[in-house]
Amino acid sequence: MSANTLVLIACIAVAAVLLLGLANMMRGGSANVSQKLMRLRVLLQFIAIVVIMGVVWWRSA
């Protein structure tokens, strides 16, 4: 698996959870589900940043 693929997967995961959260909010879903999705999105964003920074570091070496 290439570095570009890892970055793409991380970004798609963040976008998917964001869209799920927005869909839940727009249909008036549970606040607990919204809160869990927001926490998951923050965790996935952290992972995505770590992956991106790792790829940048690896390519500059």
Side-chain angles (χ1 to χ4, degrees), residues 4-22 36-49 51-52:
N4 288 342
T5 305
L6 287 175
V7 170
L8 182 63
I9 289 170
C11 291
I12 288 173
V14 171
V17 172
L18 176 62
L19 291 174
L20 285 172
L22 288 173
K36 287 180 183 179
L37 287 171
M38 183 170 30
R39 288 179 182 156
L40 179 60
R41 181 184 52 84
V42 170
L43 174 66
L44 289 174
Q45 283 178 322
F46 172 75
I47 293 169
I49 289 170
V51 168
I52 291 168

Side-chain angles (χ1 to χ4, degrees), residues 13-35:
V14 171
V17 172
L18 176 62
L19 291 174
L20 285 172
L22 288 173
N24 185 56
M25 243 178 31
M26 291 183 76
R27 67 183 166 135
S30 168
N32 288 335
V33 172
S34 289
Q35 188 72 357

